[in-house]
Amino acid sequence: EKAKKDGSECEDWRWGPCVPNSKDCGLGYREGTCKDESKKLKCKIPCNWKKKFGADCKYKFESWGGCSAQTGVKTRSGILKKALYNAQCEEIVYVTKPCSSKIKSKSKAKKGKGKD
């Protein structure tokens, strides 16, 4: 049998959300409780996370839809892939972003520039 790393026999841990040390992302900690025990774990919230969904809810997103001429935004949906630390997550979420007004084009570097 494997011995528990922290000496705890408890198996029904309840974990809170990751709380960053400062601002709304970066290194922080999450608190857990099990019966009369409690402990803290180090955690990290990436600074590009979708704040709306919580950092412990992981989604698989579809491709972006077409641009709506009425609203000027495009939409895509995400289906819940994994809920970490018993997080309460929505099964399906929707995100929007402004439509790009410019068409991106790759500019090719001129070969031999600066040489005669």
Side-chain angles (χ1 to χ4, degrees), residues 35 58 111:
K35 297 180 185 172
K58 305 297 179 190
K111 291 184 180 179

Side-chain angles (χ1 to χ4, degrees), residues 18-30 41-47:
C18 184
V19 179
N21 293 330
S22 64
K23 299 187 181 179
D24 60 357
C25 62
L27 294 175
Y29 66 92
R30 78 173 70 246
L41 288 181
K42 290 181 183 177
C43 61
K44 182 178 180 182
I45 297 177
C47 290

Side-chain angles (χ1 to χ4, degrees), residues 32-66:
T33 58
C34 186
K35 297 180 185 172
D36 59 349
E37 294 182 58
S38 66
K39 61 181 172 181
K40 289 183 179 182
L41 288 181
K42 290 181 183 177
C43 61
K44 182 178 180 182
I45 297 177
C47 290
N48 64 348
W49 67 299
K50 307 289 187 236
K51 296 178 178 105
K52 184 176 168 184
F53 315 133
D56 293 331
C57 301
K58 305 297 179 190
Y59 293 92
K60 170 110 174 107
F61 284 93
E62 298 176 344
S63 298
W64 286 102

Side-chain angles (χ1 to χ4, degrees), residues 57-61 78-83 89-91:
C57 301
K58 305 297 179 190
Y59 293 92
K60 170 110 174 107
F61 284 93
I79 298 172
L80 183 65
K81 191 167 62 170
K82 186 187 274 187
C89 302
E90 294 180 49
E91 287 295 320

Side-chain angles (χ1 to χ4, degrees), residues 98-111:
C99 298
S100 175
S101 58
K102 297 178 187 173
I103 297 172
K104 293 182 180 177
S105 62
K106 293 181 180 177
S107 60
K108 294 180 180 179
K110 292 180 182 176
K111 291 184 180 179

Side-chain angles (χ1 to χ4, degrees), residues 73-86:
V73 297
K74 49 187 170 181
T75 306
R76 70 178 178 172
S77 62
I79 298 172
L80 183 65
K81 191 167 62 170
K82 186 187 274 187
L84 304 174
Y85 296 97
N86 304 321

